[in-house]
Amino acid sequence: MLQIKNLHVSIKGKEILKGVNLDINKGEVHAIMGPNGTGKSTLASVIAGKELFEVTEGSITYNGKDLLAMPIEDRAREGIFIGFQYPVEIPGVSITNFMKTALEEIRLYRGLPPLTELEFRKLMKEKAKIVELTEKLSNRSVNEGFSGGEKKRNEIFQMAMLEPSLSILDETDSGLDIDALRIVANGVNQLKSPDNATVVITHYQRLLDYIVPDFVHVLFDGKIVKSGPKELALELEHRGYDWIKEEYEQNLQ
Amino acid sequence: MTPFTQYIKDLYSNIKEQLPGSGNNAVSEIREKGLLELVERDFRTYRKENKAIFEKHIACASGMKPQLTPPPYRPVEEYFHCKVKDFDTRMCIFLNGWYVHTGNPLCVEDNGIIVGSLFEALRQYPKLVFQYLMAENSSREDSLSAINRALFNDGLFVYIPDNVIVEKPIQLISLTDSPNELLLNNRNLIIVGKNARVSFIQCDDSIQFKPSFINNVTKIYLDENADFSYYKMENKNPESLLFNEVDVEQKGHSHFYSNAMTFNTGYLRNKINVFLKEPFAATKMYGLYLVDKKQHVDNQIFIDHQVTDCESYQLYKGIVDDEAVANFLGHVVVRQDSQRTVASQTNRNITLTDNARVTSKPFLEIYADDVKCNHGTTVGQLDEEAMYYLRTRGICEVNARRLLMLAFANEIAEFIQIDSLKARYKEMIRKRLNGELTICDQCVLHCPHLGM
Ligand SMILES: Nc1ncnc2c1ncn2[C@@H]1O[C@H](COP(=O)(O)OP(=O)(O)OP(=O)(O)O)[C@@H](O)[C@H]1O
Ligand SMILES: [Mg+2]
């Protein structure tokens, strides 16, 4: 589904990603971990299409297409969803209007007929239930004045609405209380199918207890320096990153 | 003397006998004083501060003339439809500067409300009207106000007695429909008694798209605890010059609310001067301008906190496209010892092209120490982060931009207190930002292509 090959990314002349390789297939769940500031969010942003980041080398192929050549909105229409670490507040734009516009455009792109007002409202209700988002929230402006946890739930709600085939969730667990974490994780699991794939970026094993990954990757110094089964996350939780760093430095020498 | 001042001077001597109220000494005195003041001022401030505006938008009116006799009566429906749905108002129409009526120029109701022609009111209630008409001119008058005093034709007179709550808004519609290039000066006088309440909507509309120079002055007097809402909108052609001055005097505990929306105009200057004369008066002003092509809109606000414990609040927003120009000038004065004043002033602008020009000048002048004042202005583009976020959900750039502009503009519409008007404004904003209203250059409020 997604192939990242030797991806190098710079921002303002500073190289952040220094040759990332990653293959993601249908039905898989990947976890990306790694110390702060190593480029996890950068990777998600490049997949989303943020123009600030400059790809200096390498490629990303999505369902056989050159992802890097696609405009931001087409990536979403092709089924990519990013749950942001820091969702943006948009005063004056209601969640309802936002989702209506997004769905209309995505459906048009996919050759599907537009939803009727009734169908749309039903869908909103149904999906809000998945993340236990109150209906009151959907009349409010996107993320404006939302608590940290509400913002994250709202991201998953949008994911549920847009039914992506590849979801990349960047620290969706941070800022969630224990119940909310379970709710969000359950939401993600409900949306999982053999046809779609999920990438979770996280610092904690906690989330991975609920969303069980098939692969765990460690991003360090702009590269994926180690990959392994779900047990790797447990090991990281116990041992921290020092041993990864040491291994990596030894390999360099 | 500038040629334009000379022109007005000559025009005045030629037509003064034909102007309404010419037999009345007091009226003549007002006119003569106005003329003297014009000659003395001679647009000096304009020429100093904004020569381009004077030359491009004022002096070019040389040669334009007032219509000296009322147009023959025609039923209003023949030439004008208000497009606001379910909008139940008391409509007062001025056509080419003349009050349109079917034989009754002044309506006096059982509860004491008086609405109609200013000159007729002057004839029937000389004492009441003169007291206000002769009142000292505000410190804010300029050369244009002076022209208005010299040449004022008629105007709307509104009197709301103490304790009367007027449910139906009063709507003043000024239309121009003439093959000639008109120079019009209307003077409106609105008196709102103690504890009285009324909403007022002022619309300026062109039927024929001829160059015109409209220079209106509206004087509003709010007695204790009066509540007055003022809405201003216009649909003018690109060749029109529209100067609109509103002077408000507020007594204790009175409330003034205004909302000025500009969608289509040539050159427009909305000037509002508010004088807070007794404690606990409050004023709230909102404005929105969505201008494109070569439109030009100036909003000039002056708020004078003369006493303690008053509040003023301003929020003006604009989206400026193409080569349009928007200026915001907000001046708040807090006089000495006007303690516990609260004043807030905000002006936010979005420019959509490199050629769109916005000047925003907030100006707080504070001579008291126990005050809460703040101001903020921004001129910028749309929030890039928000654009990005919307696009990552599959929304194309054009629609993302629209959503953000709509949100930006609707904030002002939300403050409209009359539901049907609010709905209409929102519809207009939506259409305007969707580009639907720019299809036809000249029809906005009543474009038949929109099926409205
Ligand atoms: N807009 C930007 N301008 C300058 N530097 C940036 C920008 N965005 C990211 N960076 C830098 O890129 C590096 C990687 O940041 P990124 O956000 O991808 O890290 P991360 O792995 O997601 O970290 P965390 O675990 O803290 O979320 C950091 O050094 C960061 O300071
Ligand atoms: Mg991050």
Side-chain angles (χ1 to χ4, degrees):
Chain A
M1 180 183 261
L2 188 80
Q3 283 92 36
I4 302 175
K5 287 210 175 79
N6 191 31
L7 186 71
H8 289 252
V9 172
S10 299
I11 178 159
K12 296 168 192 156
K14 179 181 152 207
E15 189 165 56
I16 310 284
L17 297 183
K18 302 172 180 170
V20 172
N21 290 292
L22 185 63
D23 264 16
I24 296 164
N25 299 306
K26 274 184 185 177
E28 294 175 350
V29 176
H30 292 245
I32 299 178
M33 304 181 76
N36 292 133
T38 50
K40 302 179 299 294
S41 294
T42 302
L43 181 62
S45 295
V46 170
I47 295 170
K50 190 158 179 115
E51 278 135 2
L52 202 64
F53 297 99
E54 193 194 346
V55 177
T56 52
E57 215 184 316
S59 66
I60 307 180
T61 316
Y62 175 70
N63 290 335
K65 291 177 190 162
D66 177 6
L67 187 77
L68 296 174
M70 275 184 220
I72 301 171
E73 54 270 29
D74 282 359
R75 299 179 192 203
R77 295 161 177 181
E78 290 279 350
I80 292 179
F81 179 88
I82 315 286
F84 289 101
Q85 184 175 1
Y86 303 111
V88 183
E89 298 195 9
I90 312 183
V93 177
S94 72
I95 296 182
T96 306
N97 204 5
F98 173 36
M99 282 295 103
K100 193 181 273 174
T101 313
L103 260 186
E104 249 166 42
E105 290 201 42
I106 290 176
R107 290 182 69 89
L108 186 71
Y109 184 86
R110 295 180 187 165
L112 298 168
L115 293 179
T116 64
E117 183 64 33
L118 211 70
E119 286 168 330
F120 174 75
R121 259 187 280 152
K122 212 176 127 216
L123 192 70
M124 286 277 287
K125 226 181 209 160
E126 201 176 285
K127 302 297 186 184
K129 218 178 264 165
I130 293 182
V131 282
E132 298 182 19
L133 203 68
T134 59
E135 261 179 80
K136 256 188 264 152
L137 222 52
S138 64
N139 287 324
R140 280 172 54 181
S141 295
V142 178
N143 294 327
E144 192 188 26
F146 283 25
S147 73
E150 284 170 341
K151 282 182 184 167
K152 296 302 170 73
R153 276 201 228 187
N154 188 26
E155 294 291 289
I156 304 304
F157 165 69
Q158 293 173 41
M159 169 181 161
M161 287 295 291
L162 304 180
E163 299 177 328
S165 31
L166 173 66
S167 306
I168 300 168
L169 308 177
D170 190 357
E171 296 200 25
T172 299
D173 51 341
S174 72
L176 292 180
D177 66 41
I178 299 155
D179 291 335
L181 181 73
R182 200 181 50 239
I183 291 165
V184 163
N186 280 342
V188 173
N189 285 334
Q190 276 184 53
L191 299 169
K192 222 159 66 178
S193 83
D195 285 324
N196 60 28
T198 312
V199 178
V200 292
I201 298 172
T202 182
H203 288 294
Y204 306 105
Q205 171 60 34
R206 230 176 27 176
L207 178 71
L208 304 179
D209 289 339
Y210 295 103
I211 306 171
V212 183
D214 302 302
F215 305 96
V216 176
H217 311 278
V218 181
L219 190 67
F220 181 71
D221 192 26
K223 277 181 267 209
I224 290 179
V225 294
K226 196 171 187 67
S227 298
K230 63 173 191 281
E231 287 76 17
L232 177 57
L234 278 172
E235 196 176 354
L236 290 170
E237 179 108 330
H238 289 128
R239 297 176 61 192
Y241 289 113
D242 282 351
W243 63 284
I244 299 269
K245 284 179 199 168
E246 274 160 34
E247 250 185 50
Y248 173 63
E249 270 151 24
Q250 264 162 23
N251 281 347
L252 275 185
Q253 283 157 15
Chain B
M1 206 188 303
T2 59
F4 184 59
T5 301
Q6 184 66 52
Y7 170 73
I8 296 290
K9 202 173 162 223
D10 295 344
L11 179 69
Y12 176 75
S13 17
N14 288 337
I15 64 170
K16 64 179 170 196
E17 260 80 67
Q18 291 158 271
L19 287 171
S22 64
N24 185 319
N25 285 339
V27 171
S28 301
E29 195 182 311
I30 294 174
R31 295 192 189 287
E32 295 288 341
K33 270 195 184 155
L35 193 73
L36 277 179
E37 194 175 326
L38 169 68
V39 171
E40 191 185 311
R41 288 183 183 270
D42 194 20
F43 292 96
R44 213 169 297 114
T45 324
Y46 273 91
R47 286 185 285 143
K48 202 170 92 204
E49 280 169 7
N50 207 331
K51 201 157 179 267
I53 289 188
F54 174 70
E55 272 160 17
K56 204 166 149 212
H57 299 298
I58 296 176
C60 64
S62 286
M64 296 188 189
K65 289 192 182 72
Q67 179 167 324
L68 292 167
T69 49
Y73 179 79
R74 274 191 297 151
V76 172
E77 303 75 53
E78 281 181 17
Y79 52 93
F80 181 78
H81 290 278
C82 180
K83 299 294 159 185
V84 184
K85 276 199 202 93
D86 306 318
F87 195 33
D88 190 15
T89 63
R90 173 203 288 268
M91 251 196 227
C92 304
I93 300 202
F94 278 76
L95 180 58
N96 301 340
W98 293 90
Y99 185 53
V100 176
H101 60 90
T102 47
N104 182 14
L106 193 69
C107 176
V108 183
E109 291 187 1
D110 293 344
N111 54 8
I113 298 177
I114 307 173
V115 179
S117 148
L118 177 68
F119 275 103
E120 184 58 26
L122 189 60
R123 205 180 59 78
Q124 293 185 29
Y125 303 94
K127 238 180 105 194
L128 172 70
V129 178
F130 261 117
Q131 154 196 353
Y132 290 99
L133 212 53
M134 297 297 287
E136 268 306 293
N137 297 301
S138 77
S139 54
R140 304 300 298 173
E141 298 213 345
D142 60 9
S143 303
L144 288 167
S145 330
I147 293 184
N148 182 286
R149 265 196 289 146
L151 294 175
F152 74 102
N153 189 39
D154 198 356
L156 185 69
F157 177 77
V158 175
Y159 176 78
I160 313 292
D162 293 352
N163 305 314
V164 172
I165 308 291
V166 184
E167 296 296 344
K168 216 186 220 189
I170 297 172
Q171 190 180 11
L172 165 60
I173 301 168
S174 300
L175 304 169
T176 52
D177 184 11
S178 167
N180 303 318
E181 298 189 359
L182 293 175
L183 181 143
L184 302 180
N185 292 275
N186 278 135
R187 199 172 184 86
N188 308 307
L189 177 58
I190 298 170
I191 301 156
V192 186
K194 291 188 180 69
N195 311 315
R197 186 169 75 216
V198 66
S199 296
F200 185 77
I201 299 126
Q202 188 176 1
C203 311
D204 284 283
D205 214 314
S206 307
I207 294 173
Q208 283 198 35
F209 299 130
K210 274 280 175 188
S212 59
F213 178 97
I214 299 172
N215 178 33
N216 291 338
V217 172
T218 302
K219 297 265 180 192
I220 300 168
Y221 294 89
L222 305 183
D223 209 333
E224 278 165 39
N225 201 34
D227 188 321
F228 187 79
S229 304
Y230 173 79
Y231 296 91
K232 176 77 185 71
M233 61 198 297
E234 57 281 312
N235 175 38
K236 298 300 287 184
N237 51 306
E239 301 80 20
S240 67
L241 307 172
L242 177 57
F243 301 90
N244 190 53
E245 176 181 326
V246 177
D247 298 322
V248 189
E249 281 197 24
Q250 292 188 243
K251 289 203 175 166
H253 296 275
S254 66
H255 285 259
F256 176 70
Y257 159 96
S258 77
N259 202 326
M261 298 243 177
T262 302
F263 296 111
N264 228 36
T265 193
Y267 172 85
L268 168 69
R269 187 202 64 176
N270 270 333
K271 181 171 174 175
I272 307 187
N273 302 314
V274 177
F275 304 90
L276 300 162
K277 307 197 93 146
E278 289 179 9
F280 301 104
T283 195
K284 275 199 173 124
M285 306 167 109
Y286 301 91
L288 176 69
Y289 38 95
L290 307 178
V291 284
D292 63 359
K293 298 192 205 72
K294 288 180 189 293
Q295 297 182 49
H296 185 136
V297 57
D298 287 353
N299 278 292
Q300 302 179 355
I301 293 161
F302 174 77
I303 298 179
D304 193 351
H305 283 265
Q306 299 182 348
V307 293
T308 65
D309 299 292
C310 291
E311 257 179 63
S312 71
Y313 179 86
Q314 300 163 51
L315 176 63
Y316 274 69
K317 291 175 112 181
I319 302 179
V320 185
D321 201 353
D322 299 332
E323 297 161 62
V325 180
N327 296 318
F328 175 85
L329 202 130
H331 184 179
V332 177
V333 180
V334 181
R335 305 265 170 206
Q336 198 156 11
D337 301 325
S338 293
Q339 307 300 6
R340 297 173 300 281
T341 288
V342 180
S344 154
Q345 181 183 58
T346 311
N347 175 227
R348 305 217 176 285
N349 297 279
I350 293 175
T351 51
L352 297 180
T353 68
D354 290 341
N355 291 328
R357 274 187 296 138
V358 172
T359 312
S360 181
K361 283 191 211 152
F363 181 24
L364 293 181
E365 210 182 328
I366 302 170
Y367 302 103
D369 45 27
D370 180 14
V371 299
K372 266 192 226 142
C373 295
N374 67 66
H375 66 86
T377 61
T378 52
V379 181
Q381 282 84 43
L382 290 170
D383 180 357
E384 285 299 321
E385 285 296 313
M387 282 288 291
Y388 166 68
Y389 188 75
L390 293 171
R391 290 179 69 195
T392 63
R393 302 312 188 225
I395 299 173
C396 69
E397 221 175 321
V398 173
N399 283 341
R401 203 175 283 279
R402 257 178 221 166
L403 275 178
L404 293 181
M405 289 195 293
L406 202 63
F408 179 84
N410 269 342
E411 188 190 351
I412 299 294
E414 286 299 337
F415 291 108
I416 293 174
Q417 295 154 339
I418 302 171
D419 286 343
S420 52
L421 197 61
K422 187 198 280 191
R424 174 66 179 161
Y425 268 133
K426 284 188 158 182
E427 177 78 0
M428 297 271 299
I429 292 170
R430 195 183 59 74
K431 287 199 160 121
R432 182 65 151 73
L433 296 176
N434 279 349
E436 289 169 44
L437 292 179
T438 54
I439 300 167
C440 24
D441 256 4
Q442 295 177 329
C443 43
V444 173
L445 292 174
H446 50 112
C447 175
H449 304 302
L450 297 172
M452 292 187 289

